[in-house]
Amino acid sequence: MHEPIPVSRPVAGGTAKLMPDVDRERAWLLTVDGAPQSYVDLDDPGHLEFEYTRRLAHTLDLARPAGPLDVLHLGGGGLTLPRYLAAARPGSRQRVVDNDRALLDLVTEYLPLPPGSGITLRAEDALAELERAAPASADAVVADVFGGSRIPAHLTTLSCVRAAARLLRPHGVYAANVADGAPFDFLRSQVATFTAVFREVCLIAEPAVLRGRRFGNAVLLGSAEELPVTALGRRVAADAFPARVEYGAALRRFTAGAGPVLNGEAVPSPEPPGGAFSIG
């Protein structure tokens, strides 16, 4: 058993640090170059410290069918969400893809997965995995890929979203964690890209973020079938940091004038302003 002391190690994305939470006996914060990546409580996988992670968990809670799910996670971090789903829906089959082998090794060494979790790990580029995976093989695809604090450009395109849609079963959902701030050029382009692929799209974010008062995370959902927007709205409104669900006419107004991102036009998500997410 490792002592609960901070751990620092070079990884592909910079310098990764695991810092124990003094208030929770076996809980850890993972950062890369000072940007928070994950919070993991080894004794309580249902404890989700980051609000955007809670919103992704709500999405999986409400995903169909009932019982175990087949999920592809793009981006590993501390494997917080896969651990949550393994506990919430035992028997789920989860594949986690992250191109940073050193980060995966650090996490599995110090924050080992429970036996029989059904979680498999692969060091691979997220888009390459989308392109090689079998069609209609997933109930959900979750994209939470950041190079440091920015989403890589090649994971923001129309072709990438189409590749994710190809993997989904008819009821399946593609959920992406996106970060942006006013005037939301990046976020609006991502909503437009999802809308070009999926019949149903919704956006989950805190009101302060949507009003442009601060930079922050938003969760973008796309599906071929109706999304559970009412149930999602109730859940995110009851969180410690309440959010709201934008869809339909309101989302169309938000996205007005934006178009889908083509390969030659793709750029990474914007750099967060100083201090937006960093840990001192």
Side-chain angles (χ1 to χ4, degrees):
M1 176 70 67
H2 293 282
E3 292 295 324
I5 59 175
V7 177
S8 179
R9 184 177 297 177
V11 297
T15 299
K17 292 183 180 180
L18 280 171
M19 294 176 284
D21 186 338
V22 297
D23 295 321
R24 300 178 73 91
E25 185 175 355
R26 294 211 309 150
W28 298 79
L29 174 68
L30 170 68
T31 68
V32 176
D33 281 352
Q37 301 291 315
S38 301
Y39 181 98
V40 176
D41 188 329
L42 294 174
D43 291 330
D44 182 7
H47 178 78
L48 303 176
E49 189 79 6
F50 294 172
E51 289 300 321
Y52 82 85
T53 309
R54 289 182 60 82
R55 293 164 197 154
L56 290 169
H58 293 325
T59 300
L60 294 178
D61 286 344
L62 297 170
R64 292 171 290 173
L69 296 175
D70 290 317
V71 180
L72 171 62
H73 299 266
L74 307 177
L79 308 175
T80 305
L81 195 62
R83 297 173 200 267
Y84 170 84
L85 188 63
R89 294 205 188 200
S92 291
R93 295 161 293 276
Q94 301 186 78
R95 294 173 289 144
V96 180
V97 176
D98 195 300
N99 68 354
D100 196 333
R101 167 54 72 184
L103 182 60
L104 288 175
D105 288 345
L106 172 66
V107 168
T108 53
E109 179 182 351
Y110 285 88
L111 310 178
L113 291 168
S117 67
I119 301 168
T120 59
L121 309 179
R122 180 181 175 88
E124 177 67 273
D125 177 76
L127 182 55
E129 179 66 18
L130 288 176
E131 293 173 341
R132 68 175 286 276
S137 59
D139 299 304
V141 175
V142 179
D144 188 13
V145 184
F146 284 78
S149 57
R150 305 181 74 183
I151 302 170
H154 72 291
L155 301 179
T156 69
T157 67
L158 186 61
S159 60
C160 179
V161 177
R162 283 174 173 160
R166 183 183 66 88
L167 267 62
L168 294 173
R169 293 167 182 151
H171 59 265
V173 60
Y174 182 36
N177 176 32
V178 182
D180 199 6
F184 300 114
D185 291 340
F186 180 79
L187 180 56
R188 290 170 64 247
S189 74
Q190 290 305 287
V191 176
T193 303
F194 270 54
T195 302
V197 175
F198 294 108
R199 185 173 68 87
E200 300 291 330
V201 177
C202 73
L203 179 68
I204 308 170
E206 291 179 37
V209 172
L210 291 173
R211 291 175 185 143
R213 293 178 181 171
R214 66 176 183 83
F215 191 98
N217 293 93
V219 171
L220 185 56
L221 306 180
S223 180
E225 296 189 359
E226 186 175 359
L227 290 163
V229 291
T230 301
L232 276 170
R234 286 196 296 265
R235 290 204 178 198
V236 301
D239 282 339
F241 293 92
R244 71 174 187 241
V245 179
E246 295 284 356
Y247 64 100
L251 192 58
R252 288 192 292 273
R253 287 194 296 272
F254 176 81
T255 316
V261 179
L262 305 179
N263 286 345
E265 304 168 351
V267 296
S269 62
E271 187 77 37
F277 298 132
S278 61
I279 300 291

